[in-house]
Coordinates of all heavy atoms in Angstrom, one line a residue:
M1 N 0.8 -1.2 0.0 CA 0.0 0.0 0.0 C 0.9 1.2 0.0 O 1.9 1.3 0.7 CB -0.9 0.0 1.2 CG -1.7 1.2 1.4 SD -2.8 1.2 2.8 CE -4.2 0.4 2.1
R2 N 0.5 2.2 -0.8 CA 1.3 3.4 -0.9 C 0.5 4.6 -0.6 O -0.6 4.8 -1.1 CB 1.9 3.5 -2.3 CG 2.9 4.6 -2.5 CD 3.5 4.5 -3.9 NE 3.5 5.9 -4.3 CZ 3.8 6.4 -5.5 NH1 3.9 5.5 -6.4 NH2 3.8 7.6 -5.7
F3 N 1.0 5.5 0.3 CA 0.3 6.7 0.7 C 0.8 7.8 -0.2 O 1.9 8.0 -0.3 CB 0.5 7.0 2.2 CG -0.1 6.0 3.1 CD1 0.7 5.0 3.6 CD2 -1.5 6.0 3.4 CE1 0.1 4.1 4.5 CE2 -2.0 5.0 4.2 CZ -1.2 4.1 4.8
V4 N -0.2 8.6 -0.7 CA 0.1 9.7 -1.6 C -0.1 10.9 -0.8 O -1.1 11.2 -0.2 CB -0.7 9.7 -2.8 CG1 -0.4 10.9 -3.7 CG2 -0.6 8.4 -3.6
L5 N 1.0 11.7 -0.7 CA 1.0 13.0 0.1 C 0.5 14.1 -0.8 O 0.7 14.1 -2.0 CB 2.4 13.3 0.7 CG 2.9 12.3 1.7 CD1 4.3 12.7 2.1 CD2 2.0 12.2 2.9
P6 N 0.0 15.2 -0.3 CA -0.4 16.4 -1.1 C 0.9 16.9 -1.7 O 2.0 16.6 -1.4 CB -0.9 17.3 0.0 CG -1.4 16.5 1.1 CD -0.5 15.3 1.1
G7 N 0.7 17.9 -2.6 CA 1.8 18.4 -3.4 C 2.9 19.0 -2.5 O 4.1 19.0 -3.0
D8 N 2.6 19.6 -1.4 CA 3.7 20.2 -0.6 C 4.5 19.2 0.3 O 5.4 19.5 1.0 CB 3.2 21.3 0.3 CG 2.2 20.8 1.3 OD1 1.7 19.7 1.2 OD2 1.7 21.7 2.1
G9 N 4.1 17.9 0.2 CA 4.8 16.8 0.9 C 4.4 16.6 2.4 O 5.0 16.0 3.1
G10 N 3.2 17.1 2.8 CA 2.8 16.9 4.1 C 1.3 17.1 4.2 O 0.6 17.4 3.3
Y11 N 0.8 16.9 5.5 CA -0.6 17.0 5.7 C -0.9 18.3 6.5 O 0.0 18.8 7.2 CB -1.1 15.8 6.6 CG -1.0 14.5 5.9 CD1 0.0 13.6 6.2 CD2 -1.9 14.2 4.9 CE1 0.0 12.4 5.5 CE2 -1.9 13.0 4.2 CZ -0.8 12.1 4.5 OH -0.8 10.9 3.9
N12 N -2.1 18.8 6.4 CA -2.4 20.0 7.1 C -2.6 19.7 8.6 O -2.8 18.5 9.0 CB -3.6 20.8 6.5 CG -4.9 20.0 6.6 OD1 -5.0 19.2 7.4 ND2 -5.8 20.4 5.7
L13 N -2.6 20.7 9.4 CA -2.6 20.5 10.9 C -3.9 19.8 11.3 O -3.9 19.0 12.2 CB -2.5 21.8 11.6 CG -2.3 21.8 13.0 CD1 -1.0 21.0 13.4 CD2 -2.1 23.2 13.6
G14 N -5.0 20.0 10.7 CA -6.3 19.4 11.1 C -6.2 17.9 10.9 O -6.7 17.1 11.7
V15 N -5.6 17.5 9.8 CA -5.5 16.0 9.5 C -4.6 15.4 10.5 O -4.8 14.3 11.1 CB -5.0 15.8 8.1 CG1 -4.7 14.3 7.9 CG2 -6.0 16.2 7.1
V16 N -3.5 16.1 10.9 CA -2.5 15.5 11.9 C -3.2 15.4 13.2 O -3.1 14.4 13.9 CB -1.3 16.5 12.0 CG1 -0.4 16.0 13.1 CG2 -0.5 16.5 10.7
Y17 N -4.1 16.4 13.6 CA -4.8 16.3 14.9 C -5.8 15.1 14.8 O -5.9 14.4 15.9 CB -5.5 17.6 15.2 CG -4.6 18.7 15.8 CD1 -4.9 20.0 15.5 CD2 -3.6 18.4 16.6 CE1 -4.1 21.0 16.1 CE2 -2.8 19.4 17.1 CZ -3.1 20.7 16.9 OH -2.3 21.6 17.5
L18 N -6.5 14.9 13.7 CA -7.4 13.8 13.7 C -6.7 12.5 13.8 O -7.2 11.5 14.5 CB -8.2 13.9 12.4 CG -9.3 15.0 12.3 CD1 -9.9 15.0 10.9 CD2 -10.3 14.8 13.4
I19 N -5.6 12.3 13.2 CA -4.8 11.1 13.3 C -4.3 10.9 14.7 O -4.4 9.8 15.2 CB -3.6 11.1 12.2 CG1 -4.1 11.1 10.8 CG2 -2.6 10.0 12.5 CD1 -3.1 11.3 9.8
W20 N -3.9 11.9 15.3 CA -3.4 11.9 16.7 C -4.5 11.5 17.6 O -4.3 10.6 18.5 CB -2.8 13.2 17.1 CG -2.3 13.3 18.5 CD1 -1.2 12.8 19.0 CD2 -3.0 14.0 19.6 NE1 -1.2 13.0 20.4 CE2 -2.3 13.8 20.7 CE3 -4.2 14.7 19.6 CZ2 -2.6 14.3 21.9 CZ3 -4.5 15.3 20.9 CH2 -3.7 15.0 22.0
I21 N -5.6 12.0 17.5 CA -6.8 11.7 18.3 C -7.2 10.3 18.1 O -7.5 9.5 19.0 CB -8.0 12.7 18.1 CG1 -7.6 14.0 18.6 CG2 -9.3 12.1 18.7 CD1 -8.6 15.1 18.3
A22 N -7.2 9.8 16.9 CA -7.5 8.4 16.6 C -6.6 7.4 17.2 O -7.0 6.4 17.7 CB -7.6 8.2 15.1
V23 N -5.3 7.8 17.2 CA -4.3 6.9 17.8 C -4.5 6.8 19.3 O -4.5 5.7 19.9 CB -2.9 7.3 17.4 CG1 -1.8 6.6 18.2 CG2 -2.6 7.1 15.9
I24 N -4.7 8.0 19.9 CA -4.8 8.0 21.4 C -6.1 7.2 21.7 O -6.1 6.4 22.7 CB -4.9 9.4 21.9 CG1 -3.5 10.1 21.6 CG2 -5.3 9.5 23.3 CD1 -2.4 9.5 22.3
A25 N -7.2 7.5 21.0 CA -8.5 6.8 21.3 C -8.4 5.3 21.1 O -9.0 4.6 21.9 CB -9.6 7.4 20.5
S26 N -7.6 4.9 20.2 CA -7.5 3.4 19.9 C -6.6 2.8 21.0 O -6.8 1.5 21.3 CB -7.0 3.1 18.5 OG -5.7 3.6 18.4
L27 N -5.6 3.5 21.5 CA -4.8 2.9 22.5 C -5.3 2.9 23.9 O -4.9 2.1 24.8 CB -3.4 3.6 22.5 CG -2.5 3.3 21.3 CD1 -1.3 4.2 21.4 CD2 -2.1 1.9 21.2
Y28 N -6.3 3.8 24.2 CA -6.9 3.9 25.5 C -7.4 2.6 26.1 O -7.1 2.2 27.2 CB -7.9 5.0 25.6 CG -8.4 5.3 26.9 CD1 -7.7 5.9 27.9 CD2 -9.7 4.9 27.3 CE1 -8.2 6.2 29.2 CE2 -10.2 5.1 28.5 CZ -9.5 5.8 29.5 OH -10.0 6.0 30.7
P29 N -8.2 1.8 25.4 CA -8.8 0.6 25.9 C -7.7 -0.4 26.2 O -7.8 -1.1 27.2 CB -9.7 0.1 24.8 CG -10.1 1.2 24.0 CD -8.9 2.1 24.1
L30 N -6.7 -0.5 25.4 CA -5.5 -1.4 25.7 C -4.8 -1.0 26.9 O -4.5 -1.8 27.8 CB -4.6 -1.4 24.5 CG -3.4 -2.3 24.6 CD1 -3.8 -3.7 24.7 CD2 -2.4 -2.0 23.4
C31 N -4.6 0.3 27.1 CA -3.9 0.7 28.4 C -4.8 0.4 29.6 O -4.2 0.1 30.7 CB -3.6 2.2 28.3 SG -2.4 2.6 27.1
R32 N -6.1 0.6 29.5 CA -7.0 0.3 30.7 C -6.9 -1.2 31.0 O -6.9 -1.6 32.1 CB -8.4 0.7 30.3 CG -8.6 2.2 30.2 CD -8.9 2.8 31.5 NE -10.0 2.1 32.1 CZ -10.8 2.6 33.0 NH1 -10.8 3.9 33.2 NH2 -11.8 1.9 33.5
W33 N -7.0 -2.0 29.9 CA -6.9 -3.5 30.2 C -5.6 -3.9 30.8 O -5.6 -4.6 31.8 CB -7.0 -4.2 28.8 CG -6.7 -5.7 29.0 CD1 -7.6 -6.6 29.4 CD2 -5.5 -6.3 28.8 NE1 -7.0 -7.8 29.5 CE2 -5.7 -7.7 29.1 CE3 -4.2 -5.9 28.3 CZ2 -4.7 -8.6 29.0 CZ3 -3.2 -6.8 28.2 CH2 -3.5 -8.2 28.5
F34 N -4.5 -3.3 30.4 CA -3.2 -3.6 30.9 C -3.1 -3.1 32.4 O -2.5 -3.8 33.2 CB -2.0 -3.0 30.1 CG -0.7 -3.5 30.5 CD1 -0.4 -4.9 30.4 CD2 0.2 -2.7 31.0 CE1 0.9 -5.3 30.7 CE2 1.5 -3.1 31.4 CZ 1.8 -4.4 31.2
D35 N -3.6 -2.0 32.7 CA -3.6 -1.5 34.1 C -4.4 -2.5 35.0 O -3.9 -2.8 36.0 CB -4.2 -0.1 34.1 CG -4.3 0.4 35.5 OD1 -3.3 0.3 36.2 OD2 -5.4 0.9 36.0
A36 N -5.5 -2.9 34.5 CA -6.3 -3.9 35.3 C -5.6 -5.2 35.4 O -5.6 -5.8 36.5 CB -7.7 -4.1 34.7
Y37 N -4.9 -5.6 34.4 CA -4.1 -6.9 34.5 C -3.0 -6.8 35.5 O -2.8 -7.7 36.3 CB -3.6 -7.2 33.1 CG -2.9 -8.5 33.0 CD1 -3.6 -9.7 32.9 CD2 -1.5 -8.6 33.1 CE1 -2.9 -10.9 32.8 CE2 -0.8 -9.8 33.0 CZ -1.6 -11.0 32.9 OH -0.9 -12.2 32.9
K38 N -2.3 -5.7 35.4 CA -1.2 -5.5 36.4 C -1.7 -5.4 37.8 O -1.0 -5.9 38.7 CB -0.4 -4.2 36.1 CG 0.6 -4.3 34.9 CD 1.3 -3.0 34.7 CE 2.2 -2.7 35.7 NZ 3.1 -1.5 35.4
T39 N -2.9 -4.8 38.0 CA -3.4 -4.7 39.3 C -3.8 -6.1 39.9 O -3.7 -6.3 41.1 CB -4.6 -3.7 39.3 OG1 -4.2 -2.5 38.8 CG2 -5.2 -3.5 40.7
T40 N -4.4 -6.9 39.1 CA -4.8 -8.2 39.5 C -3.8 -9.3 39.6 O -4.0 -10.3 40.1 CB -6.0 -8.7 38.7 OG1 -5.7 -8.8 37.3 CG2 -7.2 -7.7 38.9
H41 N -2.6 -9.0 39.0 CA -1.6 -10.1 38.9 C -0.3 -9.6 39.6 O 0.8 -9.5 39.0 CB -1.3 -10.5 37.5 CG -2.4 -11.2 36.8 ND1 -3.5 -10.5 36.2 CD2 -2.6 -12.5 36.6 CE1 -4.3 -11.4 35.8 NE2 -3.8 -12.6 36.0
K42 N -0.4 -9.2 40.8 CA 0.8 -8.7 41.5 C 1.9 -9.7 41.8 O 3.0 -9.4 42.1 CB 0.3 -8.1 42.9 CG -0.6 -6.9 42.7 CD -0.2 -5.8 43.5 CE -1.2 -4.6 43.4 NZ -0.6 -3.5 42.8
E43 N 1.5 -11.0 41.7 CA 2.5 -12.0 42.0 C 3.5 -12.2 40.9 O 4.5 -12.8 41.0 CB 1.8 -13.4 42.2 CG 1.2 -14.0 41.0 CD -0.2 -13.5 40.6 OE1 -0.8 -12.7 41.4 OE2 -0.8 -13.9 39.6
Q44 N 3.3 -11.6 39.7 CA 4.2 -11.6 38.6 C 5.1 -10.4 38.7 O 4.8 -9.3 38.3 CB 3.5 -11.6 37.3 CG 2.7 -12.9 37.1 CD 2.0 -13.0 35.8 OE1 2.1 -12.1 35.0 NE2 1.2 -14.0 35.6
W45 N 6.3 -10.6 39.3 CA 7.2 -9.5 39.6 C 7.7 -8.7 38.4 O 7.9 -7.6 38.5 CB 8.4 -10.1 40.3 CG 9.2 -11.1 39.5 CD1 9.0 -12.4 39.5 CD2 10.2 -10.9 38.6 NE1 9.8 -13.1 38.6 CE2 10.6 -12.1 38.0 CE3 10.8 -9.7 38.2 CZ2 11.6 -12.2 37.1 CZ3 11.9 -9.8 37.2 CH2 12.2 -11.1 36.7
W46 N 7.8 -9.4 37.2 CA 8.3 -8.7 36.1 C 7.4 -7.7 35.5 O 7.8 -6.8 34.7 CB 8.7 -9.8 35.0 CG 7.5 -10.6 34.6 CD1 7.1 -11.7 35.2 CD2 6.6 -10.3 33.5 NE1 6.0 -12.2 34.5 CE2 5.6 -11.4 33.5 CE3 6.5 -9.3 32.6 CZ2 4.6 -11.4 32.6 CZ3 5.4 -9.3 31.7 CH2 4.5 -10.4 31.7
L47 N 6.1 -7.7 35.9 CA 5.1 -6.7 35.4 C 5.5 -5.3 35.9 O 5.1 -4.3 35.3 CB 3.7 -7.0 35.7 CG 3.1 -8.2 34.9 CD1 1.7 -8.5 35.5 CD2 3.0 -7.8 33.5
S48 N 6.2 -5.2 37.1 CA 6.5 -3.9 37.6 C 7.5 -3.2 36.8 O 7.7 -1.9 36.9 CB 7.0 -4.1 39.0 OG 8.3 -4.8 39.0
Y49 N 8.2 -3.9 35.9 CA 9.2 -3.2 35.0 C 8.6 -2.7 33.7 O 9.3 -2.1 32.9 CB 10.3 -4.2 34.7 CG 11.1 -4.5 35.9 CD1 11.0 -5.7 36.6 CD2 12.0 -3.6 36.4 CE1 11.7 -5.9 37.8 CE2 12.8 -3.8 37.6 CZ 12.6 -5.0 38.2 OH 13.3 -5.2 39.4
L50 N 7.3 -3.0 33.5 CA 6.7 -2.6 32.2 C 5.8 -1.3 32.5 O 5.3 -1.1 33.5 CB 5.8 -3.7 31.7 CG 6.5 -4.9 31.2 CD1 5.5 -6.0 30.7 CD2 7.5 -4.7 30.2

């Protein structure tokens, strides 16, 4: 798959903000799950390093 950039070689600020919001929103459930996992699995010592 090839992404075609606009003529000036970049995206405008609005598009960058939308991509940034989408990435943060998609990672939030994963972070919440991992926090719950770490909280309930305290016997696994190596999780404290993540």
Side-chain angles (χ1 to χ4, degrees):
M1 176 179 270
R2 192 175 135 192
F3 294 100
V4 179
L5 297 176
D8 61 354
Y11 295 105
N12 65 25
L13 190 58
V15 173
V16 172
Y17 279 150
L18 288 175
I19 293 171
W20 177 74
I21 289 170
V23 168
I24 297 299
S26 66
L27 288 176
Y28 183 73
L30 179 64
C31 291
R32 294 273 308 207
W33 171 82
F34 188 65
D35 178 49
Y37 185 80
K38 281 180 69 171
T39 303
T40 58
H41 292 84
K42 296 230 184 243
E43 70 278 357
Q44 295 182 3
W45 59 270
W46 58 272
L47 285 174
S48 66
Y49 293 103
L50 298 178

